[in-house]
Amino acid sequence: MKDLLLIAAFALAGAVCAGAAGAVVLRLVRHRSVAVSLTVVASVTVTAMLAGTLAVARAMFLSAHDLWVVTVVVAMAALVSLGTALVLGRWVVARSRALARAARDFGDGGSFLAPDGAATAELAALTRELAATSAKLEASRARERSLEASRRELVAWISHDLRTPLAGLRAMAEALEDGMATDPARYHRQIRTEVERLTAMVTDLFELSRIHAGALALSPSRVSVYDLVGDALSGADPLAREHGVRLVGEEVAAVPVEVDGKEMTRVLANLLVNAIRHTPADGTVAVAAERRDGAVVLSVTDGCGGIPDEDLPRVFDTGWRGTEARTPPAGAGLGLAIVRGIVEAHAGSAAVRNVPGGCRFEVTLPAAAGQGLPGGSGSYGP
């Protein structure tokens, strides 16, 4: 037992000396290639075994022949270990460099293509993460391109829509200043109308900028959908009468929702104004609200004749106004973008689809817990 402990002590002393030297070398080459580190580790392993073997051999007073045999065996093991470490290190380095080139490509604006061939578990996991990051980056670039295109279109449309009323205001002001206006009162009314139009456009731009900046402050409270629809229909009734359009509220239940009443009234008002302007005289705009799969769905159906299928995904984009037939006489195509922004701020969603004779805009909101609220349920009619 004593001899065994002595052998273990000599072997441990030799291995510790080799390990300490290897640790110093690893620290010196820590910024070098992984192939160098693997070679050092293999060398430390073999050196530790050789140092322990030599220490034990000398303590046991082996013959020169036996010591030479042990040394040759250890040397052969060292050669195999170092060769294996070098091959493995070169393979890992080659895979890492290929991965670095692929990452550099998608970082410069391209897409990530995983290098061919097998890889270690860690490099394979890194490849998957880079592929997922590349997909997210590409989606972000696509959104940025879409937003930039919408922003350019919006600037062009806003410039056009502002130039027209401003030119009219300037002409009317000059006519009044020169005393050339035959009916000053009519000019004053027209000036006021144009100013109100410009004010509405500026208000929409300000609201949209707050939404995009994430500065839309909501004050949610528990309200009934029935009351929201009733207020929106009352506000849109004068415009509907002016255009000869009937407003109908069908199957509007008193379902509770947690929303900002002011902002949600604006959502419904924008949808109703949009529907009224695109519905021909003697047409009908219908509003409905129902509970569906734990959510509340408010819908506004118009008689616009439908929207081309290729334009449906762009309806809620900033500045979109569709074809000339659907372009309103006022506004800059911001109403539906504001609708989507406000609805998404309430953790909801907005969608549109074609129906026979027109299209239906749907706003989906999370339903508040509990049953219906007082305030009635049923239908609104003309």
Side-chain angles (χ1 to χ4, degrees):
M1 185 63 181
K2 182 178 179 181
D3 292 340
L4 183 60
L5 292 176
L6 185 61
I7 292 173
F10 276 105
L12 179 61
V16 167
C17 293
V24 173
V25 176
L26 280 176
R27 180 173 179 81
L28 294 176
V29 300
R30 62 185 183 277
H31 299 302
R32 302 292 295 276
S33 170
V34 66
V36 176
S37 298
L38 287 174
T39 302
V40 172
V41 170
S43 300
V44 168
T45 303
V46 174
T47 303
M49 181 178 63
L50 179 60
T53 302
L54 292 177
V56 172
R58 288 189 178 277
M60 295 176 63
F61 302 104
L62 292 179
S63 65
H65 178 269
D66 292 340
L67 182 59
W68 174 250
V69 171
V70 171
T71 303
V72 170
V73 172
V74 173
M76 293 302 102
L79 289 177
V80 174
S81 299
L82 290 176
T84 303
L86 285 173
V87 172
L88 177 61
R90 290 175 63 85
W91 177 70
V92 173
V93 168
R95 180 68 183 187
S96 299
R97 289 175 178 172
L99 198 58
R101 287 193 297 269
R104 190 183 307 116
D105 290 340
F106 93 83
D108 292 337
S111 58
F112 178 78
L113 296 176
D116 296 330
T120 63
E122 292 79 8
L123 290 179
L126 180 58
T127 301
R128 290 191 296 270
E129 290 298 327
L130 287 174
T133 302
S134 176
K136 293 177 183 178
L137 185 58
E138 181 58 31
S140 177
R141 287 171 178 160
R143 286 194 300 270
E144 183 179 355
R145 288 192 295 266
S146 177
L147 288 174
E148 183 60 29
S150 298
R151 189 178 297 111
R152 287 196 298 267
E153 292 178 357
L154 176 62
V155 170
W157 286 331
I158 287 292
S159 300
H160 176 271
D161 289 341
L162 288 177
R163 188 182 299 114
T164 301
L166 287 175
L169 288 172
R170 179 176 181 179
M172 287 184 285
E174 290 176 351
L176 290 171
E177 183 179 10
D178 296 338
M180 302 297 294
T182 57
D183 188 358
R186 184 175 66 85
Y187 275 67
H188 289 149
R189 289 192 299 270
Q190 186 64 27
I191 288 175
R192 180 172 181 176
T193 300
E194 294 296 338
V195 169
E196 290 176 350
R197 177 183 175 187
L198 291 173
T199 300
M201 292 174 61
V202 171
T203 301
D204 285 347
L205 281 172
F206 177 71
E207 184 75 9
L208 193 62
S209 67
R210 287 202 305 155
I211 292 172
H212 286 173
L216 182 63
L218 300 177
S219 300
S221 60
R222 188 181 177 89
V223 296
S224 171
V225 171
Y226 186 87
D227 295 333
L228 287 175
V229 172
D231 293 342
L233 289 175
S234 299
D237 186 64
L239 181 64
R241 292 180 182 274
E242 179 183 344
H243 286 74
V245 174
R246 294 185 299 274
L247 290 180
V248 178
E250 301 176 343
E251 302 177 1
V252 180
V255 181
V257 288
E258 292 280 346
V259 297
D260 186 312
K262 179 182 177 182
E263 296 295 341
M264 198 51 58
T265 298
R266 182 186 182 94
V267 166
L268 291 174
N270 284 2
L271 291 177
L272 285 172
V273 169
N274 180 73
I276 292 170
R277 284 176 173 166
H278 298 137
T279 299
D282 294 330
T284 300
V285 172
V287 183
E290 60 177 328
R291 182 187 286 269
R292 185 188 304 169
D293 298 331
V296 176
V297 180
L298 294 90
S299 63
V300 176
T301 306
D302 60 31
C304 68
I307 301 173
D309 292 339
E310 61 272 17
D311 286 340
L312 283 175
R314 298 193 57 205
V315 167
F316 292 98
D317 289 351
T318 301
W320 184 87
R321 294 188 295 186
T323 62
E324 292 297 326
R326 287 186 54 89
T327 301
L334 306 180
L336 294 179
I338 291 173
V339 166
R340 181 174 63 179
I342 294 176
V343 171
E344 290 180 351
H346 284 85
S349 62
V352 60
R353 58 187 174 89
N354 286 323
V355 296
C359 57
R360 176 174 296 167
F361 290 84
E362 293 186 345
V363 169
T364 303
L365 297 169
Q371 303 299 320
L373 296 175
S377 62
S379 301
Y380 298 94

